[in-house]
Amino acid sequence: MKVKKQKKISLRLQLILLSLLPFLISPSARSQTPSTVPKAKVRVAQRAAAPNDYKSAIDFFRKKEFLKSAVLFHKVGYKSENINEATKTRAKYYLGLSLVNLKLNQVATVPLIVAAKQSSDPEVRRKSLNMIIKIADKVDDPKLLRFALENLDVSKVSDVSKEVFYILLGEQYIAEGKIKEGTAAFEKALSLDSRDLSAMYRMGVAYLKLNQPRRAAEFFKRMYSYLEKRKVTNAQRGLAIISVARANYQMKNFAEAIEWYKMVPKDHPFYRESQLELAWTYFRSVKFRSALSTLETLHTPYYDNFWDPESLTLRSILLMFICQADEAEKVIQTFDRLYNSSYQTIYDFIVASPDPQLLWQEIARARAQLKKIRERQPAKSETRLPFFLVRTILDEPKVRLRLRLLDDMDKEKAILEIFKSETPFLSEFGRKIIEKRTLSLRRDIAIEAKNEIVTKLSALADFSTQMEFINYENITLKKELTKVKMSTPEANKEQEQFSRKVFVENGYRYWPFQGEYWRDEIGNYQYFGRNLCETLE
Amino acid sequence: MKHWNRSLILGVILSMAFVFIWSLETFAQNQKNNKKTAATKKAAVNTKASSVSKPAAKAAAKSESATNAKSVEKSAAPEVVGEESVLEEVADVDVPLKDDSAVSQGPPPDQTSLVKDVQPQMVKMSKDKKFKINFEDELITGAQDKPELETIFSRKKMNFKKMIRLRENFINESEKGKEFFREGI
């Protein structure tokens, strides 16, 4: 009863307070401030900008007190009425610069765009656009880039932005299939800064596309020479190594490619990728056993939880090459269990749910699950899509980059929360921008993930067809092996020659297999047996 | 007289019509035969029959006679001197290549079907025909320093070309590397 009474009283109080709320807030405040901002702060921020504010903001900016300068520039740029438009747009430009220095890149883009669009001063416009290019390159926003490139004259671009500009221009050409024009643009970027790794790498990739791997290798090696002294786990260093290996592979210089692939350290993000490519290289240089051992690494439980149908296809073919039909059959079954069975689920999900929000939810769940796994907590799969697919998608560079931006935006949000007590208006201004950007970024991630899934599905269809052929040939091989086994019983006796308990040869001691392997000694095991392919011949 | 004239004219017209129809039929028959021969030749060249080595297959593609001899290998078992040699016909060889009866009557082989099944029926040999095969100019000496995967493909009996698409490059993977520069790692 008491509880009910208390509830009634609290409800009445709430109603009374709600009805009085409009009278508590002053009319001017009601028209301009959001309800979340404290009353005292509102009055401070509401004060019209004084003519001195712009000067003092500039002083703060020069002293590198960016928060104070940002507050004042925001006031001058957005909240003043008596100041002329030219000063306002200048203030917006400086607000953008101050925000960039406060690591609020996403928030900074809005005043900079306004300054670039509205300013009558060509200098302010040029500088704003230059800054936008830098931010766009940093945050990888294609819309922002397009806006900057459309409004900018190359002759008026600053040297630092010029580099970015030429790289972006080259990328644009490459995307349109004009590879030679693309390389010319990258050359220009390199002429501005000969140590520009990004331009160097793009140049290499362009030459790979032009099927000139020798020239590509030159650029990648040059890139590696600049990165050689960095940490072995450095991503760009590893990228340079793996790129040289790829160029060598393309020019069919397999021996050198193998040496470069082996240089990728085990704890490097490119290690998993390098293993499959190394297996291909071994395969192409007819080193089947080495290729198999590399693939074994990929099929250990540590790497097993990734979408990688290609490695299974390659493994089954390698096993058939050495006439291990039974082993090949196991691989075919694994492929069927993992990929063929999940194909329909994925297809249905992608076709049935075109809403990017649903895909975003899947990604968010997979991220949470992955976080738990990394923290070694018990994680239950809650995704509708197979976890090993979504996990691989999370690792795709385009998705990973955007997810990182999303995390950066969360950080920006946190920074704005800290500033909230000091600068409520600026915080509110930033919060709205961040919220809008977050929504669009989530949508972008979902769309990008969907594209990746579709690409993987179409590749899987090809691999499935290949597997059907492999299965057919494997059945034929098994049939042949059985025929040989039945027709020549003497061949089986050969194995029995080695069935002694222990014997010594060439410094080795041999024991018969007792049905147990020790994982740390796998590399030390040897086996005897006749090559099955020889029996077939 | 009139009757005689009429019957003569009718006879001439009929004979002309007969000749015309006959020539049309012959032309159609020839066209059909040419198509079939081309299809069987294509199938025989595309698939490397296990018994014929790589240079032999090249030679077979160049000349009709070699194709014929290659297809004959299994059924007629000619006198073979060396495995790596190219089969070549000498002047007194008389194999009815373009003859309709020599080519199998079945439809042209499908791309996906195994040519093994088609090949033994391709050429019918009569016992009286003789073969002389000259290998003297085609002798290959030496060994391969670096075995290529394609060579091994051709040695194996399995149809590996259908099973696997060899990776010629990793350009797609390289494309993705560009993102690492944006991350500023």
Side-chain angles (χ1 to χ4, degrees):
Chain A
M1 281 297 282
K2 253 188 176 180
V3 177
K4 274 188 180 178
K5 252 188 178 180
Q6 274 179 354
K7 269 189 182 174
K8 273 183 183 176
I9 291 163
S10 64
L11 270 170
R12 276 173 199 164
L13 264 171
Q14 278 179 14
L15 280 169
I16 292 161
L17 278 170
L18 273 172
S19 57
L20 286 173
L21 198 65
F23 301 102
L24 289 172
I25 302 170
S26 65
S28 54
R30 258 179 277 156
S31 62
Q32 287 186 24
T33 61
S35 59
T36 51
V37 180
K39 203 176 162 187
K41 298 280 178 190
V42 171
R43 278 182 192 150
V44 174
Q46 201 188 333
R47 182 176 62 83
N52 296 339
D53 281 351
Y54 182 74
K55 279 183 183 174
S56 46
I58 292 280
D59 286 342
F60 280 130
F61 187 80
R62 281 182 185 147
K63 285 177 196 167
K64 295 185 179 178
E65 290 181 30
F66 298 115
L67 183 60
K68 283 178 184 172
S69 68
V71 172
L72 287 176
F73 282 130
H74 177 254
K75 203 190 288 176
V76 175
Y78 287 93
K79 300 290 170 191
S80 58
E81 286 167 5
N82 304 326
I83 295 168
N84 61 9
E85 279 303 311
T87 317
K88 269 187 177 183
T89 46
R90 273 179 174 272
K92 280 169 189 166
Y93 165 68
Y94 279 113
L95 173 63
L97 289 191
S98 306
L99 290 170
V100 169
N101 283 302
L102 289 168
K103 294 186 177 176
L104 295 167
N105 288 316
Q106 299 287 343
V107 186
T109 53
V110 175
L112 284 171
I113 289 172
V114 175
K117 273 184 178 175
Q118 291 179 354
S119 179
S120 53
D121 184 354
E123 189 61 16
V124 173
R125 264 183 20 221
R126 188 182 67 82
K127 283 187 173 177
S128 303
L129 286 168
N130 273 323
M131 201 63 218
I132 288 169
I133 287 182
K134 280 180 203 167
I135 297 172
D137 186 52
K138 218 173 186 179
V139 302
D140 190 31
D141 188 335
K143 285 177 195 168
L144 207 61
L145 276 177
R146 209 176 304 132
F147 168 79
L149 290 173
E150 278 168 6
N151 288 285
L152 203 60
D153 183 3
V154 193
S155 59
K156 288 174 185 171
V157 182
S158 73
D159 274 354
V160 184
S161 298
K162 229 176 213 174
E163 235 176 276
V164 182
F165 179 83
Y166 280 125
I167 289 172
L168 295 173
L169 194 70
E171 282 293 293
Q172 191 69 29
Y173 276 131
I174 300 265
E176 287 168 12
K178 298 171 184 171
I179 297 171
K180 282 186 180 170
E181 286 89 338
T183 50
F186 296 142
E187 284 275 15
K188 280 180 185 169
L190 277 171
S191 66
L192 289 168
D193 179 9
S194 60
R195 294 173 72 101
D196 189 330
L197 297 172
S198 172
M200 236 177 267
Y201 182 76
R202 282 171 165 84
M203 198 75 167
V205 176
Y207 276 115
L208 285 183
K209 281 186 175 177
L210 285 169
N211 204 16
Q212 294 178 21
R214 206 168 290 280
R215 286 215 69 186
E218 282 169 19
F219 280 99
F220 293 139
K221 277 181 183 169
R222 199 169 122 197
M223 188 181 148
Y224 177 68
S225 68
Y226 291 124
L227 295 163
E228 200 176 355
K229 284 174 187 169
R230 288 201 194 172
K231 274 186 182 176
V232 285
T233 50
N234 180 281
Q236 288 178 359
R237 187 180 182 272
L239 185 65
I241 292 171
I242 206 170
S243 302
V244 179
R246 282 167 181 166
N248 275 301
Y249 181 93
Q250 199 167 326
M251 60 174 113
K252 295 188 177 176
N253 194 356
F254 299 123
E256 203 178 331
I258 288 169
E259 291 309 312
W260 281 94
Y261 276 126
K262 278 181 179 174
M263 280 165 70
V264 180
K266 279 185 181 173
D267 51 349
H268 196 275
F270 280 119
Y271 183 69
R272 192 180 69 86
E273 215 168 314
S274 73
Q275 288 304 291
L276 179 66
E277 293 176 19
L278 180 60
W280 267 111
T281 320
Y282 277 131
F283 180 58
R284 293 295 298 269
S285 51
V286 204
K287 290 177 180 171
F288 300 138
R289 293 276 168 200
S290 305
L292 266 176
S293 100
T294 312
L295 287 172
E296 285 283 350
T297 314
L298 283 179
H299 298 145
T300 51
Y302 187 77
Y303 290 112
D304 221 15
N305 224 342
F306 284 94
W307 181 270
D308 199 2
E310 192 176 356
S311 67
L312 283 176
T313 318
L314 185 58
R315 192 176 173 182
S316 58
I317 287 167
L318 279 164
L319 287 166
M320 281 180 64
F321 252 92
I322 53 172
C323 302
Q324 298 288 335
D326 289 334
E327 290 297 312
E329 194 182 3
K330 281 179 201 167
V331 178
I332 293 163
Q333 281 168 359
T334 312
F335 183 91
D336 198 46
R337 181 170 50 81
L338 286 175
Y339 296 104
N340 285 346
S341 61
S342 55
Y343 183 90
Q344 200 56 42
T345 319
I346 301 161
Y347 184 82
D348 288 345
F349 185 88
I350 293 295
V351 173
S353 54
D355 183 12
Q357 188 61 27
L358 282 172
L359 196 54
W360 163 251
Q361 283 168 6
E362 285 291 297
I363 289 165
R365 279 183 207 133
R367 275 190 103 192
Q369 194 179 332
L370 199 61
K371 199 181 170 190
K372 279 183 185 173
I373 291 170
R374 281 177 184 155
E375 288 168 359
R376 300 194 173 183
Q377 287 176 18
K380 204 178 171 185
S381 180
E382 289 167 357
T383 51
R384 278 168 65 192
L385 286 168
F387 176 66
F388 70 109
L389 170 69
V390 191
R391 191 217 172 133
T392 314
I393 295 293
L394 293 181
D395 261 6
E396 288 297 330
K398 278 185 181 173
V399 177
R400 192 180 56 219
L401 177 65
R402 281 169 175 77
L403 285 170
R404 197 180 64 90
L405 281 174
L406 204 65
D407 292 343
D408 284 352
M409 272 206 261
D410 285 341
K411 281 177 196 165
E412 286 191 26
K413 217 174 177 180
I415 293 169
L416 287 168
E417 278 297 313
I418 295 165
F419 298 157
K420 197 174 177 180
S421 57
E422 294 172 53
T423 60
F425 270 101
L426 185 66
S427 297
E428 188 60 19
F429 170 76
R431 193 185 60 79
K432 280 180 185 171
I433 294 168
I434 292 285
E435 271 175 14
K436 273 188 183 176
R437 286 279 303 149
T438 306
L439 282 175
S440 72
L441 199 60
R442 281 180 184 170
R443 201 170 168 277
D444 284 355
I445 291 168
I447 290 167
E448 208 58 65
K450 190 178 177 179
N451 291 341
E452 288 291 343
I453 293 172
V454 170
T455 314
K456 286 195 188 308
L457 272 190
S458 68
L460 178 61
D462 283 351
F463 286 125
S464 292
T465 319
Q466 279 188 48
M467 267 299 183
E468 277 172 26
F469 276 117
I470 292 167
N471 199 14
Y472 170 77
E473 293 290 350
N474 197 45
I475 290 165
T476 318
L477 178 68
K478 274 187 94 174
K479 198 174 78 184
E480 292 296 320
L481 284 169
T482 318
K483 264 187 202 173
V484 171
K485 204 176 176 183
M486 286 171 78
S487 60
T488 54
E490 296 83 29
N492 303 328
K493 283 179 185 171
E494 205 163 312
Q495 186 66 28
E496 288 167 18
Q497 290 172 9
F498 296 105
S499 62
R500 64 191 94 174
K501 283 187 177 175
V502 178
F503 75 98
V504 181
E505 191 184 270
N506 296 336
Y508 290 99
R509 281 183 180 185
Y510 293 97
W511 282 272
F513 175 61
Q514 298 291 340
E516 190 175 303
Y517 283 116
W518 290 89
R519 190 178 283 179
D520 57 335
E521 288 184 356
I522 285 282
N524 298 323
Y525 288 106
Q526 291 192 13
Y527 71 90
F528 287 113
R530 194 172 170 180
N531 187 347
L532 283 170
C533 294
E534 281 175 21
T535 56
L536 272 180
E537 281 160 13
Chain B
M1 200 54 188
K2 274 184 183 177
H3 283 290
W4 185 83
N5 270 344
R6 268 185 206 165
S7 56
L8 184 71
I9 290 161
L10 201 67
V12 168
I13 289 167
L14 275 172
S15 59
M16 276 173 75
F18 176 75
V19 168
F20 180 67
I21 290 164
W22 178 79
S23 61
L24 269 180
E25 271 183 359
T26 322
F27 178 73
Q29 194 67 33
N30 281 341
Q31 287 280 348
K32 207 176 167 185
N33 290 346
N34 286 343
K35 274 184 188 174
K36 278 177 185 175
T37 322
T40 44
K41 263 199 284 178
K42 199 179 170 187
V45 171
N46 278 346
T47 56
K48 287 165 187 170
S50 56
S51 57
V52 182
S53 62
K54 204 173 178 180
K58 275 183 186 173
K62 281 178 188 170
S63 66
E64 275 183 7
S65 56
T67 315
N68 183 27
K70 191 181 85 179
S71 56
V72 161
E73 261 188 331
K74 279 190 177 177
S75 55
E79 193 186 333
V80 179
V81 180
E83 275 182 21
E84 296 295 314
S85 309
V86 176
L87 298 175
E88 203 175 87
E89 280 180 55
V90 187
D92 60 342
V93 174
D94 183 21
V95 180
L97 229 196
K98 288 187 177 179
D99 190 354
D100 190 30
S101 61
V103 183
S104 64
Q105 292 297 320
D110 191 352
Q111 283 290 317
T112 53
S113 69
L114 293 170
V115 187
K116 273 183 204 168
D117 306 334
V118 183
Q119 224 170 3
Q121 301 167 7
M122 277 189 348
V123 180
K124 288 175 186 173
M125 285 291 298
S126 61
K127 286 181 182 175
D128 307 331
K129 304 281 162 70
K130 284 183 181 177
F131 263 97
K132 274 188 183 177
I133 300 158
N134 184 10
F135 293 100
E136 278 176 11
D137 297 337
E138 304 293 337
L139 189 66
I140 298 165
T141 52
Q144 266 185 316
D145 290 339
K146 195 176 149 195
E148 284 292 326
L149 200 64
E150 282 78 4
T151 327
I152 291 164
F153 276 163
S154 64
R155 277 186 206 161
K156 294 268 172 183
K157 285 177 184 174
M158 282 167 255
N159 197 353
F160 279 99
K161 287 207 170 170
K162 276 184 185 170
M163 282 201 301
I164 190 161
R165 245 169 253 149
L166 286 177
R167 285 292 291 258
E168 294 300 334
N169 55 54
F170 294 104
I171 292 173
N172 286 341
E173 283 78 0
S174 302
E175 280 277 340
K176 289 176 183 174
K178 289 172 191 172
E179 307 296 333
F180 279 88
F181 294 96
R182 291 215 171 111
E183 287 184 32
I185 298 165

